């Protein structure tokens, strides 16, 4: 299947960098940018992301005239949708706000960068098949490690492209309330005991995630003094059983 409005590069610094330039040049809604290899892939909060060349998706979608507040959460649901279609036996879940995990190991990361009013880039790095030798210290997992019939990266990309289009269209038309029930059902962070590192450097230990707020932040209650803290994307949430 040929994906319309797709730019594919053998190698790039980051598909997010290419998307930023493409947005400035007037790229259309849901233009897709992919690469076989990213040299400086990045994730949320400035973290590095390891792309497995030939075995992973390195893809960025451009959105136009779309709310950006919940876009990363919406994208995480699109990844789950695609995995259910391509590898239905893979038990993928979401770690707030938008990391995809399987059995305690990270499968995919999502980064959303905004570019002016209503424009954004949704970057997704997803490990699909497993190379003969994984990089030393590779902390994540791949789809192929959890199913006997893994899709190829290109097949999964075709499916994910459709799922991104569908989820973004729903969010555009009906807003977060139409998406929230699916997200809360799949987010393993809700109700869990966690440790926090807030953006100001404050460490909170331990706490329980009480609820997902309407703006996509978390309402977290501290164990020490029963204090409610609003946790945003700028803060770090650690699940004890995933650390």
């Amino acid at each position: 299947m040929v994906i319309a409005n797709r730019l594919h590069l053998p190698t790039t610094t980051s598909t997010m960098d290419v998307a930023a330039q493409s947005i400035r040049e007037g790229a259309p809604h849901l233009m897709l940018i992919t690469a076989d290899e990213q040299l400086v892939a990045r994730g949320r909060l400035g973290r590095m992301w390891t792309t497995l060349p030939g075995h992973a998706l390195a893809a960025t979608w451009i959105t136009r005239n779309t709310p950006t507040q919940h876009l990363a959460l919406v994208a995480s649901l699109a990844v789950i949708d695609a995995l259910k279609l391509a590898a239905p036996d893979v038990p993928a879940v979401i770690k707030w706000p938008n990391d995809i995990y399987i059995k305690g190991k990270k499968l995919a990361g999502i980064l959303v960068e905004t570019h002016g009013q209503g424009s954004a880039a949704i970057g997704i790095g997803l490990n699909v098949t497993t190379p003969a030798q994984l990089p030393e210290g590779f902390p994540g997992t791949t789809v192929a490690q959890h199913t006997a019939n893994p899709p190829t990266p290109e097949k999964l990309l075709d499916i994910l492209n459709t799922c991104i289009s569908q989820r973004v269209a729903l969010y555009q038309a009906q807003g977060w309330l139409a998406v929230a029930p699916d997200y809360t059902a799949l987010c393993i962070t809700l109700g869990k005991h966690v440790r926090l590192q807030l953006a100001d450097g404050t460490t909170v230990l331990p706490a329980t995630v009480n609820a997902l707020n309407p703006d996509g932040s978390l309402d977290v209650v501290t164990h020490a003094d029963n204090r409610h803290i609003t946790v945003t994307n700028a803060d770090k949430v650690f699940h004890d059983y995933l650390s």
Side-chain angles (χ1 to χ4, degrees), residues 12-15 38-43 46-51 58 111:
T12 187
T13 54
S14 166
T15 55
Q38 296 185 104
L39 302 177
V40 195
R42 61 183 182 272
R47 299 185 179 112
M48 298 300 293
W49 175 259
T50 300
T51 299
L111 176 65

Side-chain angles (χ1 to χ4, degrees), residues 100-224:
I100 309 301
Y101 271 71
I102 299 177
K103 297 182 178 180
K105 289 191 174 183
K106 188 171 178 178
L107 174 75
I110 298 169
L111 176 65
V112 171
E113 294 179 346
T114 58
H115 296 274
Q117 187 67 31
S119 294
I122 304 171
I124 298 177
L126 195 161
N127 301 312
V128 186
T129 53
T130 309
Q133 185 172 355
L134 283 166
E136 185 176 352
F138 179 68
T141 190
T142 70
V143 174
Q145 290 176 320
H146 301 276
T147 179
N149 298 296
T152 64
E154 194 66 19
K155 176 62 176 178
L156 185 54
L157 178 67
D158 285 342
I159 296 171
L160 179 56
N161 185 62
T162 298
C163 293
I164 287 281
S165 299
Q166 292 171 342
R167 283 290 181 179
V168 169
L170 177 62
Y171 181 47
Q172 280 180 317
Q174 300 183 38
W176 174 242
L177 289 180
V179 181
D182 288 345
Y183 183 87
T184 55
L186 287 163
C187 181
I188 58 171
T189 307
L190 301 179
K192 292 293 191 300
H193 292 180
V194 297
R195 295 170 289 121
L196 306 175
Q197 183 179 341
L198 303 183
D200 63 4
T202 303
T203 299
V204 178
L205 175 71
T208 298
V209 179
N210 181 52
L212 182 73
N213 294 321
D215 64 357
S217 65
L218 295 178
D219 176 48
V220 178
V221 181
T222 63
H223 292 184

